[in-house]
Structure formats: structure tokens, C-alpha cells
């Protein structure tokens, strides 16, 4: 299923002008940038670290490779990839939001990660890189915030090298009814409350819950990746499908 190119789209459960969504999403992440890491740990009970670790393992990065960590935020994946690809490799941490990039750059530099990481402010729908640039692209918990996901997936496919791999780590649809009910209760009751207590920002975490529900399910996203020209697309459900890791290749 491909996305409509009409002038309206969704921002959580709200219908908004498509050309305004990017600014509205930017407002959310400007608001939460400085508390982003601690909120990830609190809201996921630390499980996001296991999801990201599995993504790194599935990426199969090696020394000398060039990796794009798209919507990389505060750089969790970038830090891991930097160590793996080494001095002969390169990791590009790209994000549309300058507040998140600044937090990520500061965090990685504090860890001594400097020499093989570059930072680019970029829109996933029109990536500012030549064709066939990257061996691996990851986008973790960022695709659901993109206005035109079809355009973004096509852009990622374009900048992958032949033989390259795209990994999309994103919230998805739980597989069992009891998990769905528990997840809905947590998402719509607890998330905004915790966001208010820790980040003094309930609205951003209400948007988070709504944006997850509006994101395509596992099979739909698989079809969108195939439509973008990726091959051998599959996905792995984690935590009963609350999160799924989609993988696709460019040949």
C-alpha cells in the first residue's frame, strides 16, 4: 500500500496539511531532545537497548563500511557502528531535527567518538547523498514521523550501494489481543502521565502513542519496502510485535 500524495496527512490522530507536519514533528523533538535518552529508558523499561542491540547484530557491519544512521537522534546506534567500522569506515548520523543532532553530537564527543562520525541535518524524503553511497542504512523509531514514507523509502533505496542493507526498527502491531489491550492502556494512560512528570510535556508523549497507532503494520510496511525497490524483505517481531525490525536489500 503506497501513501497518498494529497495535501493532507496525519499528525497522530489529527489530520493536518502535509506541508506542516514536518514542522509539527520538529516541535515535538525540540521539546523532548534534552530528556530523550532518559525518557527512552523510563518508558521502555530499558528494553529499547535490547531492540537496538539486536538491530546492530542484524546489520552485519564490518570494518571499512559506510553506514547511515538515519533519524539517528542522540546517536545510540551511531556509537556502536563507529566502533565496528573503525578508522577505515564512516558513520553518518543524520536527523531532520537540529536539536536532536546537537544532543547526539555532544553525547558522542563526550564518549570520545570523533574521528569517523559525520553529522548531517537531512530530510529522509530527499537524502542529500549520491546514489550508491552506503553499505548499511538504519532508521530506528523515525519512519513513523516522516510525512511521505514512500518517498523516504525510495530515497533510502537510492543511496544504498548494490548489495547494501536497509534496517527499519519501528513500533508496530502486537500479535495477541491481551498484549494489545495492555499496550493501549499503557500508551494512552501512562505515557502522557510519565511525560508530564519527567519532561513536563504530556502532549509530546500523547503524540508518540498516536503516531505509533497510525504507523503501517508489519505486512503493510513490508509491501512498501518492496514497492520502493528493496528485495528479500522480511521482518522480525520483538516483544510480541510491539516493535518489529524490517530488513531489505538492494541488488
Amino acid at each position: 500500500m503506497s501513501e497518498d500524495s494529497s495535501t493532507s496527512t496525519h499528525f497522530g490522530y489529527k489530520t493536518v496539511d502535509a506541508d506542516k507536519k514536518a514542522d509539527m514533528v520538529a516541535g515535538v523533538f525540540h521539546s523532548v531532545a534534552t530528556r530523550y535518552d532518559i525518557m527512552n529508558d523510563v518508558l521502555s523499561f530499558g528494553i529499547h537497548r535490547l531492540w537496538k542491540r539486536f538491530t546492530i547484530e542484524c546489520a552485519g557491519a564490518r570494518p571499512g563500511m559506510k553506514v547511515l544512521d538515519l533519524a539517528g537522534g542522540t546517536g545510540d546506534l551511531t556509537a556502536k557502528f563507529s566502533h565496528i567500522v573503525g578508522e577505515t569506515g564512516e558513520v553518518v548520523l543524520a536527523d531532520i531535527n537540529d536539536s536532536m543532532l546537537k544532543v547526539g553530537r555532544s553525547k558522542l564527543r563526550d564518549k570520545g567518538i570523533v574521528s569517523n562520525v559525520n553529522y548531517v541535518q537531512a530530510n529522509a524524503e530527499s537524502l542529500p547523498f549520491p546514489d550508491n553511497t552506503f553499505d548499511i542504512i538504519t532508521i530506528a523509531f523515525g519512519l513513523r514521523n516522516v510525512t511521505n514514507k514512500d518517498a523516504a523509502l525510495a530515497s533510502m533505496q537510492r543511496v544504498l550501494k548494490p548489495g547494501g542493507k536497509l534496517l527499519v526498527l519501528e513500533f508496530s502491531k502486537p500479535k495477541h489481543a491481551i498484549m494489545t489491550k495492555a499496550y493501549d492502556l499503557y500508551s494512552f494512560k501512562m505515557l502522557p502521565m510519565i511525560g508530564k512528570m519527567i519532561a513536563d510535556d504530556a502532549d509530546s508523549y500523547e503524540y508518540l502513542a498516536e503516531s505509533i497507532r497510525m504507523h503501517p503494520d508489519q505486512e503493510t510496511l513490508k509491501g512498501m519496502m518492496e514497492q520502493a525497490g528493496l528485495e528479500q524483505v522480511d521482518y522480525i517481531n520483538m516483544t510480541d510485535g510491539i516493535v518489529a525490525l524490517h530488513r531489505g536489500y538492494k541488488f
Side-chain angles (χ1 to χ4, degrees):
M1 182 183 76
S2 68
E3 290 192 328
D4 194 327
S5 60
S6 65
T7 58
S8 65
T9 187
H10 58 81
F11 177 77
Y13 288 162
K14 301 179 182 71
T15 299
V16 299
D17 291 341
D19 59 1
K20 294 181 179 178
K21 179 174 178 177
D23 287 340
M24 296 173 75
V25 171
V28 170
F29 286 93
H30 284 310
S31 175
V32 305
T34 58
R35 301 287 184 93
Y36 186 77
D37 286 337
I38 189 171
M39 289 299 291
N40 277 350
D41 281 331
V42 170
L43 295 176
S44 75
F45 307 102
I47 299 173
H48 76 99
R49 297 179 182 274
L50 300 179
W51 297 331
K52 291 172 181 174
R53 183 184 304 167
F54 183 70
T55 301
I56 294 288
E57 292 171 355
C58 289
R62 298 188 303 275
M65 281 188 166
K66 189 164 185 176
V67 178
L68 173 62
D69 181 13
L70 185 57
T74 58
D76 284 349
L77 296 183
T78 293
K80 300 291 187 184
F81 281 128
S82 172
H83 291 300
I84 294 170
V85 303
E87 292 301 315
T88 59
E90 179 188 0
V91 185
V92 176
L93 171 54
D95 202 292
I96 196 172
N97 188 282
D98 65 315
S99 295
M100 295 291 284
L101 274 178
K102 288 174 182 175
V103 172
R105 184 186 297 113
S106 178
K107 185 172 100 174
L108 295 182
R109 288 179 175 174
D110 285 347
K111 292 182 175 182
I113 299 171
V114 178
S115 60
N116 64 351
V117 175
N118 290 306
Y119 302 87
V120 176
Q121 187 171 358
N123 186 330
E125 297 175 24
S126 53
L127 292 170
F129 308 109
D131 295 359
N132 308 319
T133 297
F134 296 99
D135 298 288
I136 297 168
I137 299 175
T138 59
I139 179 166
F141 305 113
L143 185 61
R144 73 181 186 282
N145 297 311
V146 174
T147 303
N148 189 328
K149 298 175 183 62
D150 290 319
L153 290 168
S155 188
M156 292 178 225
Q157 193 271 354
R158 178 184 64 79
V159 302
L160 268 179
K161 293 179 182 178
K165 181 190 302 185
L166 170 64
L167 298 105
V168 181
L169 179 66
E170 189 55 89
F171 293 108
S172 200
K173 308 300 180 188
K175 305 309 294 178
H176 296 95
I178 190 168
M179 179 63 84
T180 298
K181 290 179 181 179
Y183 187 43
D184 283 346
L185 178 64
Y186 177 72
S187 298
F188 292 105
K189 299 296 184 182
M190 297 300 295
L191 278 188
M193 187 185 306
I194 297 170
K196 178 65 176 176
M197 290 171 57
I198 297 179
D200 193 27
D201 187 352
D203 290 345
S204 292
Y205 290 92
E206 182 178 339
Y207 163 75
L208 169 66
E210 293 178 356
S211 70
I212 291 169
R213 298 315 187 277
M214 297 300 290
H215 185 67
D217 65 18
Q218 289 91 325
E219 284 294 324
T220 301
L221 180 54
K222 177 183 177 184
M224 291 169 67
M225 291 174 67
E226 292 170 338
Q227 186 66 32
L230 293 154
E231 300 182 36
Q232 295 183 9
V233 179
D234 65 1
Y235 60 85
I236 301 167
N237 285 320
M238 293 179 275
T239 319
D240 197 56
I242 286 177
V243 164
L245 176 64
H246 283 70
R247 303 178 294 186
Y249 300 81
K250 177 177 178 176
F251 294 112

